[in-house]
Each structure stands twice: as C-alpha cells, then as structure tokens.
Amino acid sequence: MKYQVLQISLDYRTFQDIEKCIWNFTTSEIRTNKGILTIIGTHEVEQNGQVGIQMSVNGWLDLGEYCPSSSMSKSVNVRTVAVMRQPRNAWLWVYMFDDAGQPIAVFCGTDGLDENTGFAKYVKELKRIADGGVIADVEVIADVERFERDNFHEEFTPTAEEKVTDYILADGKKYNGWGCYYKEKFYPHGCGKKFFSDFYVYGNFKKGILNGPAIISHKHYMYTMFFKNNRGNGWGLCINGGYLVEFGYYEDSKLKTDLTNSVQWYYEGKLGKSGRTDEKMLSMYTSKETKEVTNLLIGYAPKKVSESMILSCMGFRFRADGSVWVGTGNLSTMTGYYIHFRSDGCIDIGKFDDSYLEERMSLQELIDNYFGTQRINEDNPFGSFFRSSPKSTFQIERESERELYRDIEEPKVNFNYFTGNYEYNDDYSDDLPF
C-alpha cells in the first residue's frame, strides 16, 4: 500500500502540514522517510466508528524535526501502529505508540482509494498471511522448503562438493556458496548466500534448507537466528537502523521471549562505543572439512593493529550447536567474562575457563566488571583509600553511563527459556532459587 502523508499531530489535537511524502506498507515492514518499522504481528480493530488494522512493530523513527522545541528525542522506538479509516472516508489515519502504550504521534493522509493498491487490498493481504501462519520473509522461504523436501530422500547424505557464484537454482533464485548435487540438480549445502527479491539469507544450509546459524538481511534491518528447517527456532536478534531492537528466544521465526534488556547494555555501551565502527559487524566462520558454519559473529572480529597489540573479539557469537556467547574476548575459546545463552535454553553468566563456568555472577556484577565500576569490598585494606580518592572526569562519566542499566531484570538461574520451566542438575545444585 502506498500511503501519502499530509499532516502530523504530536498531541493528538493540533495538526500541522508537513512536506508530502509517500510511505510504503508491505506485509513485512513499513518503509517511511524517517525510518523503517518491522511488522511482527497484526489483527483487525474497530473503535469510535473507525475500522482498520493494528500492528505490533519494532523500529526507530526520527520525528524530532516535526517539533524541534519539544522534549522528543531524535529517534523514537515505535512498538504499535494502528491504521484506521471511517467507512467511505478518503482520509486514512496512522496512530503510533511506544513500548509502554503511550501515544507518539498520529498522521493524516490518503491511499488514493485504489482497490488494487489501497488500504482494503492491504488488509486482505495481511489477513491472508496471518491465516496461513506465516509472516514476512518466512512465507517465501516456506515455498522453497516444500520444494526442497519434495526432491530429497531421507537416505541421501550430502557433502559440500562445489562452491558456486551467481548460480541460478531450480527455483529461480541466485545463490553464492557451497552445495551438493542430487539427481543432477544443485542444492545449497554448507555456508552460502541466497538472494530473494528484496532481501537475502546468509548462513548454514543443509539439503537446500536453512539449518544452523543464519541471517535474513534487508536494506535497513536484519535478523540473526538459529534456524531449524527454515524457521528461526532458538536464540536470535534483530538490528534495525543500527539499533538492537530484539534479542531473545524465537519460535517459528517470531520473538517469543524478549530478553533485549539483558544484552542492550553491551550492544550500546560496549560495541557502540568501542571506536571500531569502521569495521564490518558480520563475520562468518566455517569448517574446513564440512564447509558448514561454525561461528556467526555479530560484532567485531579479532584484529591485529601492531606486532604487540591485538583488538579482542567483541559481540554475539552464534554457534553451530545453537548457543550464543555475548562478551569481549576470544572468538572461539571462551575464557573470560561472558553471558552464555546455552543451546538447551538456560543462561549462564560469569567467569568462564575454556567454556566451563568457573564463577557464576549476577548480570549486575558482570556489567560492573565491563564498565570497571566494581564495588570495593569493605574488607579490602585499600578500600578506604579508593573510596576517599577524588574521581576523575572519565570515572564519573563511566559510572553515570553504567547507572543506566542498574534496574535490568536478572535472568533466572537454571531456568529453561525455551520451555518455561526450571531445570536442575548436580553440577549446579547450589543454584536452586529457594
């Protein structure tokens, strides 16, 4: 749907004319001149004589120019959008709300009342997708999945035998990467990149289907997840316009358990302020033998800057076993301080020695460790000296930034975020929550 925006109101009462622009509403996103919103879910609504569609969305819009004298920040996180119209009325209203359900702005415009490209056709398309249980890019991938499954037998055990470039697959899609031949047809198998009309998928394929760490990348936003049979089922994240807008447990490619706050401090305060923004934030590592993805890094790879200095690996390491390691240190040998989102759905936080949890910590203790704001123990003989010493400007700024993340909810110990149940074992018998 093409939506021509004409007016905006920030107080839902007084409208001001704005420069005419066209927004593009698709079944997966809302593309505006101020940013892009990813559509997560939809349902029909009716209120005060208006009918329309309400959408759960995620993304940031830069609306500050519409009211420069207000307290509105440069970018606002939009979580709900309602598109409403009174029957037989030309005006189409778009209401936006934040994550607390508070109003952000309302826009007035028109879709031209075109039956083929207008609002009514758009609502029907959203309903068709919702009824099919598939949203956004996954619908396209589902067609591929059915095609691949129809053409394989269970007893076939493929191996990555050839790497291709700009290869046109049987379904008409272009592919770069490793694959195998079966019945004279080439199928993605191993690490590869497959191109669709307005996005691409890049990651681990098995018999033509996404299985393992992979990304779905659009122009302005991308998802990174652990895939099982072309669906995101496991830990994952979404970055939109450079902002981390989602992190948590995905089921059938939809965010089911939101744990964004547990890692936002690291994405904003460490990755975002590392001084390495000129480096690429995606690295894919594969097995020399199988050509399958072993490590998908969203962050910065280790970098040698001189003979005596190497910058550490920073970011989110998506592993082939379905786990995710978040923190700064080594790429593969997990020794140091990390959050380990385990492949079984549980979360470990603390000090690790070669992937073994040596010392469990709270999330707040880990954040203190990264910001260098650890509390001085009363028993420390130098404690009184450090507490009475004047703080530098750098230290004051660091402590002020660290306080932004003081009220984050602690992840539960031995809690399986995939199943929603507590799990216990002999190795962590001291970690019972009672």
Side-chain angles (χ1 to χ4, degrees), residues 172-313:
K173 303 296 188 300
K174 186 174 73 172
Y175 177 76
N176 296 336
W178 289 94
C180 63
Y181 287 92
Y182 179 70
K183 292 186 176 181
E184 300 182 349
K185 290 184 180 179
F186 182 86
Y187 294 91
H189 187 81
C191 181
K193 182 184 291 187
K194 189 171 183 178
F195 297 87
F196 293 80
S197 58
D198 58 352
F199 67 96
Y200 66 83
V201 295
Y202 180 31
N204 197 71
F205 290 85
K206 291 184 179 180
K207 298 182 180 180
I209 298 172
L210 280 177
N211 274 291
I215 70 168
I216 297 180
S217 180
H218 287 255
K219 184 176 181 180
H220 296 285
Y221 68 92
M222 55 90 80
Y223 285 93
T224 306
M225 304 180 198
F226 186 82
F227 283 82
K228 297 177 183 177
N229 296 324
N230 271 347
R231 298 291 192 276
N233 284 291
W235 302 114
L237 60 77
C238 177
I239 296 175
N240 189 336
Y243 295 93
L244 178 69
V245 295
E246 289 181 4
F247 180 89
Y249 167 53
Y250 286 78
E251 188 175 274
D252 200 23
S253 295
K254 301 176 186 177
L255 183 64
K256 185 175 182 180
T257 303
D258 190 350
L259 295 171
T260 309
N261 287 339
S262 298
V263 297
Q264 190 71 266
W265 65 272
Y266 182 79
Y267 186 88
E268 291 178 345
K270 298 290 109 180
L271 275 180
K273 298 182 179 180
S274 63
R276 301 175 65 176
T277 53
D278 59 328
E279 302 175 36
K280 65 177 184 178
M281 275 195 66
L282 169 65
S283 298
M284 198 81 69
Y285 301 87
T286 61
S287 166
K288 291 182 179 179
E289 291 75 25
T290 67
K291 313 305 180 185
E292 295 184 1
V293 177
T294 57
N295 229 333
L296 192 169
L297 173 66
I298 301 297
Y300 302 120
K303 180 181 179 181
K304 184 177 181 179
V305 294
S306 69
E307 290 299 324
S308 59
M309 183 179 180
I310 298 178
L311 297 179
S312 297
C313 175

Side-chain angles (χ1 to χ4, degrees), residues 106-121:
V106 58
F107 295 86
C108 178
T110 178
D111 62 345
L113 294 176
D114 189 321
E115 293 183 357
N116 296 318
T117 61
F119 183 52
K121 179 70 177 295

